Amino acid sequence: MLGLEIPHPPLPLTLLFPQLALRNALRYFPPDVQELLAPEFAQELRLYGHIYMYRFCPAMKMRAYPIEQYPCRTRAAAAIMHMIMNNLDPAVAQFPQELVTYGGNGQVFSNWAQFWLMMSYLSQMTEEQTLVMYSGHPLGLFPSSPQAPRLVITNGMVIPNYSSRTEYEKLFAMGVTMYGQMTAGSYCYIGPQGIVHGTVLTVLNAGRRYLGVKDLAGKVFVTSGLGGMSGAQAKAAVIVGCIGVIAEVDKAALMKRHEQGWLMEVTDSLDHCIARLRYSKGPGAWAALHGPVKCLTLGHRWCLTKRPHRSHTVPTSQDPPWAWCWWGWAAAGRCDGPSALLLCPSREARKRKEVLSLGYHGNVVDLWERLVHELDTTGELLVDLGSDQTSCHNPFNGGYYPVQLGFAEQSTCTVFPWPLCFNSLLESSLSPRLGADRPALRPSRADVEKKGANRTEFRYPSYVQHIMGDIFSLGFGPFRWVCTSGDPQDLAVTDELATSVLEEAVADGVNPAVKLQYADNIRWIREAAKHQLVVGSQARILYSDQKGRVAIAVAFNRAIARGKIKAPVVLSRDHHDVSGTDSPFRETSNIYDGSAFCADMAVQNFVGDAFRGATWVALHNGGGVGWGEVINGGFGLVLDGTQEAEQKAKMMLSWDVSNGVARRCWSGNQKAYETICQTMQDNKGLVVTLPHAVAEERVLQQALRP
């Protein structure tokens, strides 16, 4: 069993039916070993609220190995293995020992027996079999045709009346369902890069919409979360050229992003955060701080004095930033008093339009309250954009942490009888701490609903309603690919090909809205390589529309056929896409015809992808906003250089986008209407039902008059 010093996801709040949970776990093993395993599994259940079967955690290094190293009978099976092992790579996964890829509880499998069984089935699967997965459990290999998907996944599919958080806790503890999040359970996660691009586009468009600027240089973006997907925020801030200040309560998550090069600076001092935004005293000057500062990069306690340590010379303004820090490093335990001074690189980040990602080790509530205090006492507003990227779907089990407790203290508060106290403290932290006019955050919701409005309208519109919804309606979404050779050179070739495709599309002529999206994505792909975005598999994400996705896929497939790309490429996307997700409080929150709570689009997408050529398909309950709040699906499509693969890509990718655009058009979205009309002109086989707008509101009013 793994030690308690290894990070684990928070415990479920309840533990019911332990005997049934244990029985369910032991059925993976023959009777002659059940007596040995039962006590271990029972202990896991008591300690962690679930049986993960730690004994069977692989000793091998878990990573995405080159495809030819997997012992499989088909390239498709080897590609799936490549993707699974990437999802469980410790450099990628949030809690790899618990098979959690991201989001606090988004799993690849429910236990390690399922992992080994899955790998066994994949190694023997032929082109005339399909592997069926029930919420992490490999049901078996079933005869099918070469044209059928090699893998069909469902996660969390429960009867609607039982799709509640309470029921989830019971079912998960019993080992009969799991939370696949989105790309965790569909084996298509590509590390935080996947969310970096979406965050880049969101912040860029937020600047255009809310600040009226195209250039975010010198603008301050404050947010929270550096764990799983939220780890993307620091890198996104740098790519858009702004100043990002990101709060994170978990030091391990903070340091992981710093060591990966995704976070430029770290501190546990609010004074230091403010100093980096405000103070500018000229070269070689001091910035006043209060109290000692902890330098997380080196793990030492810094006592920053008014005098340089005698063994070091004073650095000049030309010296690198670390020289300033070294100068301020005094002997351990030595400090000149309660009010110390910090020597920083002498620059005002905002005024000098510095590109910066600063990680604050602490609770974001404290950070926001300090920023409000600075505004109230000095009249200086130090922030331009604010956000939050934590697990809203999982608020009481790791999504949020009470400001009243330190991170270490909180692990003990999820064990009975403390959960009720923990929840009370958490709700207090999520209350309007920043003033009566500032609304409380509501988990799984964008914000407080407008009075008298429908259920998907809020006082503060979500990023989908104001930004991503329009992007989706144009047919753009998080398309992605993985080079299964594991060779960075293959990824560089795909970057070049994708850039050429988009540039040609712009040259051929597109409307201004589409041209802007292409321009943002050309900028992204050119910047991607130099920002060290690859964590895990050699993968790239690129927001593209139907035309772009199909053209990129064809270019890749032909490059594989010519040997320019050395091994198959897996195409995929985030479920957070044009057609992949029905989620009334996120992906479909800008659909106002009353159908935002309907899940036909996501289910139809899953089915349509399956018979149009996808190598594997997945359909999930939960993901992003919580269990019972969303239905979403994804796919994987292996390009191997064959003509058959090209035809599958053309057919499946076209459906995968047009389905959602057509649905958004029918709901009354004008951008989607224009997009689907253009698509019908380009493809005469596509015939979509178009809505007629009500010409005059008085027609409705007169008809409904008593």
Side-chain angles (χ1 to χ4, degrees), residues 557 560-561 638-647:
N557 196 60
I560 295 168
V638 177
L639 297 177
D640 58 7
T642 63
Q643 185 61 33
E644 180 185 17
E646 181 173 321
Q647 292 304 314

Side-chain angles (χ1 to χ4, degrees), residues 65-120:
Y65 291 92
I67 191 171
E68 68 271 8
Q69 296 186 24
Y70 292 101
C72 297
R73 300 171 69 179
T74 70
R75 279 294 182 93
I80 295 168
M81 283 188 171
H82 181 93
M83 302 290 280
I84 288 172
M85 293 189 71
N86 184 69
N87 271 26
L88 294 171
D89 182 341
V92 174
Q94 187 178 14
F95 301 113
Q97 295 83 10
E98 282 81 19
L99 305 109
V100 172
T101 301
Y102 70 88
N105 59 352
Q107 290 186 292
V108 186
F109 304 101
S110 185
N111 60 59
W112 285 106
Q114 293 173 349
F115 166 82
W116 288 111
L117 190 55
M118 175 73 161
M119 291 300 190
S120 175

Side-chain angles (χ1 to χ4, degrees), residues 545-606:
D545 58 357
Q546 177 180 324
K547 183 178 180 180
R549 297 186 202 201
V550 171
I552 289 170
V554 169
F556 289 176
N557 196 60
R558 292 178 181 177
I560 295 168
R562 296 193 307 269
K564 191 174 181 180
I565 298 173
K566 293 180 286 295
V569 171
V570 175
L571 301 181
S572 184
R573 58 163 171 74
D574 195 349
H575 299 199
H576 175 64
D577 194 23
V578 182
S579 311
T581 300
D582 282 298
S583 177
F585 299 105
R586 203 168 75 171
E587 285 80 358
T588 48
S589 61
N590 69 325
I591 288 178
Y592 300 115
D593 67 347
S595 69
F597 292 85
C598 301
D600 299 87
M601 179 179 70
V603 175
Q604 287 281 358
N605 220 66
F606 163 81

Side-chain angles (χ1 to χ4, degrees), residues 462-470 576 586-590:
S462 73
Y463 76 106
V464 171
Q465 288 175 305
H466 267 191
I467 297 172
M468 279 298 169
D470 283 345
H576 175 64
R586 203 168 75 171
E587 285 80 358
T588 48
S589 61
N590 69 325

Side-chain angles (χ1 to χ4, degrees), residues 213 337 670:
V213 299
Q670 185 61 30

